[in-house]
Amino acid sequence: MNLNVLIVDDDKMITLLHKVMVVKTKICTTPPLLFSDGKMALEFLLSEYNPEERYLVLLDINMPVLNGWEFLDSIQPERFANNLFVIIVTSSVDSSDKLKAKTYPQVIGFLEKPLRSESCEFIKTMPSIAPFFA
Amino acid sequence: MTITTREDEERLRLLESVILNTTDGVLIAENDHNQDSKIVFVNEAFIKMSGYNKEEIIGLSPIGFFAPDASSDELAKLKDAIDKCEPCNIVVKTSKKNGTKYWVNVSVAPVSDGSGGFKHWVYIQRDVNNRRRHLQALEEQNKKLKEIAWIQSHVVRAPLARIMGLVDLLSEHHDSEELSNNQIIEAIASSANELDNIIRKIVQNTENVQNQSSL
């Protein structure tokens, strides 16, 4: 089964960098989808979501329109059940953000920008999504 | 007149001079028939602090004096202490005659009449306006420092993270249709500029906080 990767970040250069990284480290086999704010990613999920598919969202916190927290508040865990995983990828090194992230069941990880080869390899070992890379 | 009485008088005069010369405002209130009390003595410091003259203060109810500006919590605390004949200490906002509001710490104590009853109350009022203002200034500064910490974490790290990621790509001899090496170098340069601007802004903000604290 393929893992659809959504990269959500208002920094265009970061979305490009992360795209290159997830492709290079083979986190996804189909090209990742890039979104410049939470609202665009949410609209995509609400209209295109397929329960047969699995989604991995690499989510920035600090974004205009709909920020990372608002995006998390808007995705109902019941609807996306076990098919949607979120990894927060932020430039923040603020520990309160890390604690807040833990309160969302969909969040399976919290990484600091930039995503490097090592962080991508680490993503592949996260228990909830490791089976995709076995 | 006996020697003991003269000593007593001397002692009383000394005690009186404390009330007359202190910079704390002092009121003495006497219980009236309606379970309220009215002010029977006011010292010079209280008159100076409040702007009211002696005639305007004598005869008033002390609770009535503080009631218009005090928070309901503090007022309830004062009434409760009076009901129970217990001392209490409150910090309230009050008005001068000219309408200026100021913060005072008021300690209220019942005075025993020597036969188990309480007929008088002593109110000692201290101006804590300056202390209060300092506290507010400190809180304001703390808020600004927190903002600076937030900017450091979110805003400074953004271009820095970009530079780190771009350098990674370059060092791995990456070459793809997404990003050419020239584009990467250009992006590093613009991120470095952005970082420079942010740091200058932080220094400026910190200087503003420092200037305010030295006021």
Side-chain angles (χ1 to χ4, degrees), chain B residues 160-180:
Chain B
L160 183 62
R162 215 182 299 134
I163 292 172
M164 288 157 80
L166 290 162
V167 170
D168 270 5
L169 271 195
L170 265 189
S171 62
E172 285 168 20
H173 303 290
H174 160 88
D175 226 345
S176 82
E177 57 210 57
E178 302 284 355
L179 278 168
S180 72

Side-chain angles (χ1 to χ4, degrees), chain B:
Chain B
M1 199 181 278
T2 65
I3 292 173
T4 340
T5 320
R6 227 184 353 242
E7 276 181 353
D8 280 350
E9 270 183 8
E10 179 70 20
R11 215 172 125 249
L12 275 175
R13 219 180 22 251
L14 272 174
L15 288 176
E16 196 185 6
S17 77
V18 174
I19 298 170
L20 296 178
N21 296 311
T22 178
T23 54
D24 289 346
V26 178
L27 293 176
I28 299 173
E30 194 177 274
N31 285 349
D32 64 16
H33 313 296
N34 311 319
Q35 288 185 314
D36 199 355
S37 62
K38 59 177 200 279
I39 298 167
V40 292
F41 172 86
V42 54
N43 76 343
E44 204 51 46
F46 192 97
I47 290 168
K48 219 168 139 188
M49 221 184 273
S50 67
Y52 289 99
N53 61 39
K54 195 174 165 185
E55 290 69 34
E56 288 169 315
I57 298 171
I58 298 289
L60 288 177
S61 143
I63 292 184
F65 198 86
F66 295 112
D69 301 300
S71 75
S72 50
D73 277 0
E74 294 290 88
L75 215 55
K77 198 174 148 189
L78 175 61
K79 284 178 178 164
D80 187 52
I82 289 174
D83 282 346
K84 293 178 178 156
C85 277
E86 285 171 355
C88 85
N89 196 52
I90 54 171
V91 177
V92 291
K93 198 161 74 177
T94 182
S95 299
K96 296 188 187 214
K97 192 182 177 182
N98 66 12
T100 316
K101 311 270 187 220
Y102 66 121
W103 285 90
V104 288
N105 177 313
V106 186
S107 49
V108 184
V111 184
S112 162
D113 62 7
S115 57
F118 295 96
K119 223 178 131 197
H120 290 95
W121 293 86
V122 175
Y123 287 72
I124 299 173
Q125 168 176 305
R126 178 166 290 181
D127 188 335
V128 289
N129 218 31
N130 280 341
R131 212 201 298 171
R132 191 104 191 161
R133 256 210 318 266
H134 279 298
L135 199 69
Q136 273 168 352
L138 276 179
E139 281 167 357
E140 195 63 30
Q141 271 183 44
N142 272 346
K143 211 178 115 207
K144 289 229 168 71
L145 288 174
K146 272 188 190 147
E147 273 169 26
I148 291 170
W150 189 90
I151 291 175
Q152 302 235 5
S153 180
H154 288 260
V155 184
V156 175
R157 268 211 98 245
L160 183 62
R162 215 182 299 134
I163 292 172
M164 288 157 80
L166 290 162
V167 170
D168 270 5
L169 271 195
L170 265 189
S171 62
E172 285 168 20
H173 303 290
H174 160 88
D175 226 345
S176 82
E177 57 210 57
E178 302 284 355
L179 278 168
S180 72
N181 279 358
N182 271 344
Q183 280 175 308
I184 293 176
I185 291 168
E186 264 174 44
I188 291 175
S190 74
S191 301
N193 271 333
E194 193 184 319
L195 189 56
D196 187 39
N197 285 333
I198 291 164
I199 289 170
R200 283 170 201 278
K201 211 170 127 194
I202 290 174
V203 171
Q204 180 80 52
N205 279 347
T206 316
E207 276 171 1
N208 288 346
V209 172
Q210 278 168 352
N211 289 343
Q212 270 174 10
S213 65
S214 61
L215 280 181

